Amino acid sequence: MNLRKPVLSAIAAGLFAAGLAHAAGTASSANDAATLAQIRDAAIASDWAYQRLEDMTDLAGPRLSGSPGAAAAVQQVAEAMRKLGAKVTLQPVKVPHWVRGEEKGQLVEYTGRPQGVVQNVVLTALGGSGATPPQGLTAPVIIVRDFDELRRRASEVKGKIVLFEVAFDQGMADAGLGGPAYRHGSAFRTRGPALAADLGAAAALVRAVGGADYRLTHTGTTRLADGKRIPAASVTAEDAMLIARLGKRGPVTMKLVLTPQTLPDADSFNVIADLPGTDKADEVVIVSGHLDSWDLATGAHDDATGVTASMGVLETLKKLNLKPRRTIRMIAWMNEENGGRGGDAYHQAHKAALDKQFAAIESDGGVAGRTFGVQAGIRPQYEKLFAPLQAALVPIGAGVLQRRDVIGAGDLHAMEADGVPSFTPLVDSSAYFNYHHTPADTFDKVNPDYLKRHVAVMSALTWYLANMDQPIGRAPEQFN
């Protein structure tokens, strides 16, 4: 079975649809082919977003909610938007404040261990992890490969360190299914520690969720709750496999030291920058990314590229002196990674008038691969309305429109559930999970040409939505 065939078919279908652009006859006059081409070409020619990416990653650094880096990035983005002449608002958000401490793992007993040998394990605490005693804890390791096995062996779990030894399916990612591969693997990170805690485990380890086996850890949030915050860590793929091999020889005992802290919630902000509309200024098109990142690296792909590409949309349109009919609102969301507080705060603030939120775009998939077009959370009858946009993006190989019933973007999901149409760039994700949530997610991993293409797609899409004649909203009950 050729797993690439659905992806290639989608691309072919998108290009065919784009060829029908002039037959659609539904776009606003502001969405003429010449203007869309002008936007596309201006974005492709600019390195402004790449420069802002360097500023954010190299100067502000890691940006976990509540950290100095997150606070610095808020001011950095706000100042850059003010310099463009956008109307900037800082929306207050209370965010979780979790900090990691000492992290150490050692295999201290196993069958066949030579006298005096102790093997170090590379690991890092997962978000929301509890702490061991300062001197650490020492316990046997129980290895499971799915939740069913954990439940079958529930009587063995109490007082043990549970290792979820589940490999990331890079073959799925290579076939264009990086998202499903990640959702499968990350379920053990988000749900596994809490399930282990319920069964009395002393601690939980999860094999790194990613495709690059270079002894990289992969952090991320868990569903651990107050009162049940057992120590929980990501262990590299190589060390997870080592423990599994030793486990076949006999019992394995680990000493684990993790000393993270959960501090009181901190004050932070969503950064909102508006490019005012003309005759439909009370309606809003959101273009966004999330400003916070995990703390192992500088969050270049996740999600500094999403924020700086969104900023680049406003820079492109301002440079061309283009004035949209609807207000274009750039949002740098705070706290997507370990709480979603920024998206929730915006949703609550606008819940009474969500009909004025015409459409929303979020970029949260990095640019580790090429951007081939747009994923659109619209009903089937609206698909044809986007043919002119597709046609404008064909020259840069980004003319695909992939319709979905639900996009489910991290910061937009509540608004989407209430009927706001959501969009996200369609990006090749085959390499993305080599970097995602790892110490390798740094500026040098971002291809500047890929970022330019990304900005071009987002700029054209944002402008197109801001000038459409016909509403594309849908009733919330369709999501239920």
Side-chain angles (χ1 to χ4, degrees):
M1 180 178 179
N2 182 358
L3 293 177
R4 290 186 180 273
K5 188 173 181 181
V7 176
L8 296 175
S9 297
I11 292 173
L15 296 177
F16 176 76
L20 301 178
H22 295 294
T26 54
S28 162
S29 59
N31 282 335
D32 61 275
T35 302
L36 292 170
Q38 186 183 29
I39 293 169
R40 176 200 67 211
D41 294 345
I44 286 288
S46 174
D47 61 358
W48 188 88
Y50 191 66
Q51 292 170 354
R52 301 294 76 73
L53 177 71
E54 185 175 7
D55 290 346
M56 185 178 295
T57 55
D58 287 1
L59 302 182
R63 303 174 303 283
L64 190 60
S65 294
S67 70
V74 165
Q75 298 304 320
Q76 187 185 84
V77 172
E79 182 58 26
M81 293 291 91
R82 290 188 186 107
K83 285 182 178 178
L84 285 182
K87 178 184 176 183
V88 175
T89 305
L90 299 183
Q91 181 184 20
V93 182
K94 279 283 190 183
V95 298
H97 190 190
W98 177 89
V99 295
R100 68 180 66 250
E102 185 180 1
E103 302 177 333
K104 187 176 181 180
Q106 292 181 313
L107 303 179
V108 295
E109 291 291 347
Y110 51 87
T111 301
R113 181 179 69 89
Q115 182 68 30
V117 171
V118 173
Q119 296 205 52
N120 292 325
V121 171
V122 179
L123 49 74
T124 193
L126 295 172
S129 168
T132 66
Q135 69 276 16
L137 66 83
T138 301
V141 179
I142 176 172
I143 302 161
V144 299
R145 291 173 173 80
D146 55 41
F147 292 132
D148 287 339
E149 183 178 2
L150 177 67
R151 295 184 185 100
R152 288 196 305 272
R153 302 177 65 185
S155 62
E156 304 173 48
V157 171
K158 189 172 183 178
K160 306 283 181 60
I161 297 173
V162 175
L163 167 62
F164 292 92
E165 213 292 277
V166 182
F168 178 78
D169 192 336
Q170 183 59 39
M172 287 184 69
D174 290 340
L177 298 170
Y182 176 70
R183 285 190 289 275
H184 172 74
S186 65
F188 296 95
R189 186 199 73 216
T190 55
R191 297 167 52 201
L195 291 173
D198 288 342
L199 295 174
L205 304 175
V206 181
R207 176 170 168 164
V209 187
D213 293 341
Y214 300 121
R215 222 173 179 197
L216 289 172
T217 55
H218 172 280
T219 193
T221 194
T222 65
R223 294 183 183 175
L224 288 166
D226 289 342
K228 292 186 176 181
R229 291 189 185 276
I230 63 171
S234 163
V235 62
T236 70
E238 292 87 344
D239 289 301
M241 290 187 285
L242 168 63
I243 295 168
R245 291 195 302 272
L246 292 175
K248 292 179 180 178
R249 295 173 180 262
V252 177
T253 299
M254 172 181 278
K255 180 178 180 182
L256 179 65
V257 180
L258 292 178
T259 60
Q261 299 178 69
T262 300
L263 303 176
D265 284 357
D267 293 316
S268 192
F269 304 90
N270 289 328
V271 182
I272 300 173
D274 284 354
L275 181 60
T278 55
D279 61 303
K280 292 181 177 290
D282 61 329
E283 297 181 13
V284 173
V285 173
I286 294 170
V287 58
S288 67
H290 67 83
L291 191 53
D292 61 308
S293 76
W294 281 102
D295 55 331
L296 299 184
T298 55
H301 284 293
D302 188 19
D303 183 36
T305 52
V307 173
T308 55
S310 299
M311 295 166 67
V313 171
L314 266 64
E315 192 271 341
T316 299
L317 300 179
K318 290 285 289 185
K319 179 169 53 186
L320 295 173
N321 197 30
L322 291 172
K323 294 177 172 56
R325 298 180 67 193
R326 296 180 180 88
T327 294
I328 292 175
R329 175 166 293 165
M330 193 290 300
I331 304 181
W333 306 103
M334 182 53 69
N335 185 230
E336 186 274 345
E337 291 292 3
N338 63 336
R341 303 272 184 90
D344 289 345
Y346 186 89
H347 175 247
Q348 288 302 317
H350 296 274
K351 192 172 177 64
L354 279 178
D355 58 312
K356 296 300 184 182
Q357 307 294 308
F358 182 82
I361 305 163
E362 182 167 14
S363 171
D364 187 18
V367 291
R370 273 182 51 187
T371 303
F372 287 101
V374 173
Q375 289 183 340
I378 54 175
R379 287 187 285 178
Q381 63 264 38
Y382 295 132
E383 201 169 344
K384 65 184 178 182
L385 301 182
F386 290 85
L389 172 67
Q390 291 179 264
L393 294 174
V394 165
I396 60 169
V400 178
L401 183 77
Q402 189 178 83
R403 193 200 71 80
R404 288 188 172 184
D405 289 333
V406 178
I407 297 296
D411 296 288
L412 303 180
H413 71 275
M415 284 193 290
E416 185 177 32
D418 279 344
V420 178
S422 293
F423 298 79
T424 191
L426 177 61
V427 183
D428 173 11
S429 64
S430 57
Y432 175 62
F433 294 103
N434 292 347
Y435 312 120
H436 176 262
H437 291 193
T438 77
D441 190 7
T442 49
F443 175 75
D444 54 287
K445 307 304 190 306
V446 177
N447 181 319
D449 291 333
Y450 285 178
L451 183 58
K452 290 178 182 179
R453 180 191 303 267
H454 202 70
V455 176
V457 169
M458 290 179 66
S459 297
L461 171 62
T462 304
W463 174 261
Y464 195 83
L465 290 167
N467 293 285
M468 292 184 76
D469 289 326
Q470 181 174 334
I472 52 171
R474 50 187 176 170
E477 56 266 20
Q478 290 186 274
F479 296 90
N480 298 328

